Amino acid sequence: MPGRNVSTAVIKRLPRYYRYLGDLIDRGVTRISSGELSEKMNITASQIRQDFNNFGCFGQQGYGYNVESLYGEITKILCLEKSYKLIIIGAGNIGQALVNYSGFQKRGFQVVALFDTNPKLVGLSINGIEVHDIDGLEDFLENNEVNIAVLAVPASSTVKIAQRLYAKKVKGIWNFSNTDIHAPEDVFVENVHLTDSLMTLVYGLNDISN
Amino acid sequence: MPGRNVSTAVIKRLPRYYRYLGDLIDRGVTRISSGELSEKMNITASQIRQDFNNFGCFGQQGYGYNVESLYGEITKILCLEKSYKLIIIGAGNIGQALVNYSGFQKRGFQVVALFDTNPKLVGLSINGIEVHDIDGLEDFLENNEVNIAVLAVPASSTVKIAQRLYAKKVKGIWNFSNTDIHAPEDVFVENVHLTDSLMTLVYGLNDISN
């Protein structure tokens, strides 16, 4: 598969390229130079050229990049041609915000179930998705394909829930809980630590004021 | 102020150290060695020692670190002794999840207002915080201290709202919208791009499966 040996630093920039190129396609732009993209994205033109060279020969001197081809290639590298089934564990604020967010559906991400311990929530349907009792997690995973589990539970329950997911061979975890998990090597964890992010903001804010 | 010339790489690790040290304090742990912390945090012990050396002499050979002092120093460096006033722009899924999240309040972050364009939301009170009409944004900022504005609006409105914030001298922006903003130099922006994060997860997930 192309791009599998692309460096981590490049990979980290791919979602942003994907987002920008998608915007250009929506606006009917068919080609763009590294210089134009550089101005929009605040990345140097040489960095952009270097990154895109990893994916093949999309640039042409004096013509720029073919937006559609480049977008297609990044889609492939990010494996966004497939669709993905998600469960969300924790039907609190973050869990509900995620299940209500229509943007995921558009990109091929389908939430198939919510789980919670709260009897007031279990059995409800949120944006058409049923809230299951967490006790039924293993049963659900045995009978349904699930690619990604979203952890939106309190820090204190995170590790235990994560272990139940590993045991049932869930390979992708999107962790919103305010704690880290140490997953087995064959599980990929992406963390969204909102309080860490807020603290980075506060540091930056004070740094700027000094 | 101590720590102001600490490198960006170290700064990025600080919120995590802060979180781990806070957990240790909650559990009554008074000292810890770099080796023990290394195991918990998945960072090498030598990296930890190097990072902590930036803040002063907290380690003692054969004794380890004084957890309380180290936590206190990181609190100071991150400027978390002060409290911060936030407004949230966009009272949709993410905006509501944030205003309902009690963790911020505990750490000295106070949401003072929500703003939205939707007449069905304007005038409501969510978790005790009033939803104002976005037309009143400038007026509110002239009459109230606001340190941080949270952008939880659709990508299409993000740039315009951001410009209104710059004009009123809001210096910290926590951007949850699915687009980047190019702020003036005296404004600090921290981005939480959830779809970028989800794409990184998908890439990692497929990388692991291959």
Side-chain angles (χ1 to χ4, degrees):
Chain A
M1 173 166 207
R4 285 290 111 182
N5 47 11
V6 173
S7 81
T8 319
V10 180
I11 296 306
K12 290 220 167 192
R13 284 191 288 272
L14 285 185
R16 254 188 103 213
Y17 285 130
Y18 179 79
R19 184 148 47 82
Y20 274 81
L21 294 168
D23 282 351
L24 292 174
I25 290 173
D26 287 348
R27 289 192 281 120
V29 179
T30 56
R31 55 179 170 156
I32 191 161
S33 70
S34 54
E36 289 165 313
L37 203 54
S38 160
E39 258 179 56
K40 282 184 192 299
M41 294 189 66
N42 236 349
I43 302 179
T44 66
S46 84
Q47 177 73 78
I48 290 175
R49 286 193 297 269
Q50 209 178 311
D51 285 351
F52 289 176
N53 279 342
N54 283 298
F55 320 140
C57 306
F58 293 99
Q60 216 176 303
Q61 191 92 47
Y63 172 93
Y65 292 96
N66 179 320
V67 173
E68 195 90 43
S69 313
L70 201 49
Y71 184 78
E73 193 57 29
I74 293 178
T75 304
K76 261 193 261 168
I77 296 173
L78 288 173
C79 303
L80 294 171
E81 296 155 302
K82 295 196 237 171
S83 66
Y84 297 90
K85 292 192 195 301
L86 279 71
I87 57 171
I88 297 175
I89 305 179
N93 298 314
I94 292 287
Q96 293 198 20
L98 292 173
V99 77
N100 282 316
Y101 179 58
S102 59
F104 297 139
Q105 192 79 33
K106 269 189 262 165
R107 286 179 182 82
F109 296 94
Q110 192 197 347
V111 178
V112 293
L114 281 154
F115 289 87
D116 208 288
T117 52
N118 185 344
K120 284 184 191 155
L121 293 173
V122 171
L124 291 184
S125 163
I126 302 176
N127 200 17
I129 310 300
E130 192 188 332
V131 183
H132 298 250
D133 191 303
I134 189 72
D135 288 346
L137 180 64
E138 281 75 8
D139 203 47
F140 187 91
L141 291 172
E142 277 163 25
N143 295 297
N144 297 276
E145 190 200 354
V146 171
N147 309 109
I148 294 168
V150 183
L151 278 180
V153 296
S156 55
S157 338
T158 304
V159 173
K160 269 191 192 155
I161 300 273
Q163 281 162 348
R164 293 170 64 180
L165 295 169
Y166 309 151
K168 286 293 161 199
K169 310 287 177 212
V170 175
K171 297 298 181 198
I173 297 183
W174 203 17
N175 178 28
F176 282 78
S177 74
N178 193 28
T179 193
D180 297 321
I181 52 178
H182 303 300
E185 274 194 7
D186 64 342
V187 175
F188 187 88
V189 179
E190 168 76 7
N191 292 303
V192 181
H193 288 320
L194 293 181
T195 50
D196 287 17
S197 169
L198 186 55
M199 282 168 201
T200 306
L201 171 59
V202 163
Y203 180 84
L205 181 64
N206 284 282
D207 208 33
I208 267 174
S209 324
N210 288 336
Chain B
M1 176 166 201
R4 284 290 113 180
N5 47 12
V6 173
S7 80
T8 318
V10 180
I11 296 305
K12 291 219 166 190
R13 285 191 288 271
L14 285 186
R16 255 189 103 214
Y17 285 130
Y18 179 81
R19 185 149 47 82
Y20 274 82
L21 293 168
D23 282 352
L24 292 173
I25 290 174
D26 287 347
R27 288 191 283 120
V29 178
T30 54
R31 54 178 171 157
I32 192 161
S33 70
S34 54
E36 288 165 312
L37 202 54
S38 161
E39 258 179 57
K40 282 184 192 299
M41 294 189 66
N42 238 347
I43 302 180
T44 66
S46 85
Q47 178 73 77
I48 289 175
R49 285 193 298 270
Q50 209 179 311
D51 285 350
F52 289 176
N53 278 343
N54 284 298
F55 321 141
C57 307
F58 292 99
Q60 217 176 303
Q61 192 91 49
Y63 172 92
Y65 292 96
N66 180 320
V67 173
E68 195 89 44
S69 312
L70 201 49
Y71 184 78
E73 193 56 31
I74 293 178
T75 304
K76 262 193 262 171
I77 296 172
L78 288 172
C79 303
L80 292 171
E81 297 154 302
K82 295 196 238 170
S83 67
Y84 296 90
K85 292 191 194 302
L86 277 73
I87 56 170
I88 298 176
I89 304 180
N93 298 315
I94 292 287
Q96 292 198 22
L98 292 173
V99 77
N100 282 316
Y101 179 58
S102 59
F104 296 139
Q105 192 80 31
K106 268 188 262 165
R107 286 178 181 82
F109 295 94
Q110 191 197 348
V111 179
V112 293
L114 281 154
F115 288 88
D116 208 287
T117 53
N118 185 345
K120 285 186 190 154
L121 294 173
V122 171
L124 290 185
S125 164
I126 302 176
N127 200 19
I129 310 299
E130 192 188 333
V131 183
H132 298 250
D133 190 304
I134 189 71
D135 288 346
L137 180 64
E138 281 76 7
D139 203 47
F140 187 92
L141 291 172
E142 278 162 24
N143 294 297
N144 296 275
E145 190 200 353
V146 170
N147 309 108
I148 295 168
V150 183
L151 278 180
V153 296
S156 55
S157 339
T158 304
V159 173
K160 271 193 192 154
I161 301 274
Q163 282 163 347
R164 293 170 64 180
L165 295 169
Y166 310 150
K168 286 293 161 198
K169 309 286 176 211
V170 175
K171 297 298 180 198
I173 296 183
W174 203 16
N175 178 28
F176 282 78
S177 74
N178 194 28
T179 193
D180 297 322
I181 51 177
H182 303 300
E185 274 194 5
D186 64 343
V187 175
F188 188 87
V189 180
E190 168 76 7
N191 293 303
V192 181
H193 288 320
L194 293 181
T195 51
D196 287 16
S197 168
L198 186 54
M199 282 168 200
T200 306
L201 172 59
V202 163
Y203 180 84
L205 181 63
N206 283 284
D207 208 33
I208 267 173
S209 322
N210 288 337

